[in-house]
Amino acid sequence: MFSVFRRERNRRPISITAAACAAAAVLGAALVPGSVAAATPAVTVHPGMEIRNVQIVDDTPLIARCTIGLTGSIGKAQYAVTAGHCYREGVITDTIGNPIGWFEFHRPEKDRELGFGLIRLYEGIGVSASMGQFGLSSVDMKPRVGQEVCKIGSTTGWRCGSILEANEDWLYATNTLGAEPGDSGAVVYRQTSDGHAAFVGILVAYEDDESHNAVVEPATRLFDQIDRYGPTRDNKFVWYRV
């Protein structure tokens, strides 16, 4: 099931790609949300990583999935960034149940405004800007129409497309980029000459069922939202790079 996020763009609806909204039943033991002091130091949070939250509904454990788009810090605290609609109360874990942190702040998508979800990471959690053989080394603040971009999502994995429309508030990309439940918050980037990647934004939705074009929150808006509505205005959000 998807939440529907409507935006006036040629009068076509946009559907949130919320794996957080598409919960799947979990068989066997499940982590019940609660207070966790620290997590296994071996866990390293990075862009493209799947995250989960378990909720108990009618005595049935349900999993909500999303993807990490960016990592960074505010002051001494470390954070992971994902889509605003991924917010859930309780513990956030990796795919095998290791707790990594909790949503300290979030701003949901509303009307024409895209938000963010800010996960405060537990002490002892590893944090990286690497996505394997390459990582985020810069930010693309002015993505342009026709530019190729790629993403790493927990459902559709690594896929690429091209930008159809670009402004400061949102980007539209071809459906080849991929946008399915679980991909919410996925890192969107372009390859750079240094062999790494420039951060373009995070995946937040797909357009409509017919086109299935991807909707991306650009870096400029994302950083502005975090600085405006994040935990403190005394310290700016500092994104991690390789």
Side-chain angles (χ1 to χ4, degrees), residues 87-105:
Y87 169 81
R88 289 293 186 276
E89 294 183 355
V91 177
I92 304 301
T93 77
D94 64 7
T95 57
I96 61 174
N98 292 314
I100 64 169
W102 73 98
F103 277 100
E104 186 174 69
F105 285 86

Side-chain angles (χ1 to χ4, degrees), residues 25-178:
V26 185
L27 299 178
L31 175 69
V32 178
S35 176
V36 177
T40 307
V43 177
T44 298
V45 175
H46 57 85
M49 172 182 172
E50 178 177 319
I51 54 172
R52 297 185 175 190
N53 171 264
V54 176
Q55 299 286 337
I56 306 300
V57 179
D58 296 330
D59 296 324
T60 301
L62 301 177
I63 282 183
R65 301 186 303 115
C66 278
T67 304
I68 296 298
L70 194 66
T71 57
S73 63
I74 300 175
K76 296 181 179 180
Q78 297 193 114
Y79 293 89
V81 182
T82 189
H85 63 266
C86 291
Y87 169 81
R88 289 293 186 276
E89 294 183 355
V91 177
I92 304 301
T93 77
D94 64 7
T95 57
I96 61 174
N98 292 314
I100 64 169
W102 73 98
F103 277 100
E104 186 174 69
F105 285 86
H106 82 290
R107 188 168 175 82
E109 293 82 6
K110 183 180 180 181
D111 298 328
R112 290 176 175 269
E113 297 184 353
L114 301 179
F116 68 94
L118 205 56
I119 300 170
R120 174 75 174 267
L121 302 177
Y122 293 124
E123 292 184 9
I125 290 291
V127 188
S128 174
S130 174
M131 298 178 285
Q133 296 182 346
F134 63 95
L136 297 176
S137 63
S138 59
V139 176
D140 188 342
M141 304 297 278
K142 294 183 179 180
R144 64 186 185 279
V145 172
Q147 176 178 298
E148 182 182 66
V149 292
C150 300
K151 75 100 180 57
I152 301 175
S154 63
T155 297
T156 58
W158 181 84
R159 293 179 63 177
C160 299
S162 58
I163 296 177
L164 298 170
E165 180 181 326
N167 59 52
E168 293 183 353
D169 295 320
W170 64 78
L171 309 173
Y172 281 82
T174 56
N175 56 23
T176 56
L177 188 66

Side-chain angles (χ1 to χ4, degrees), residues 70 73-74 79-82 105 107 114-118 199 202 217 219-233 235-239:
L70 194 66
S73 63
I74 300 175
Y79 293 89
V81 182
T82 189
F105 285 86
R107 188 168 175 82
L114 301 179
F116 68 94
L118 205 56
F199 178 72
I202 60 173
E217 180 171 8
T220 50
R221 175 164 183 86
L222 180 64
F223 292 153
D224 177 69
Q225 290 289 290
I226 294 174
D227 286 340
R228 281 173 179 259
Y229 305 108
T232 176
R233 293 182 181 144
N235 295 295
K236 294 285 187 178
F237 175 78
V238 178
W239 63 280

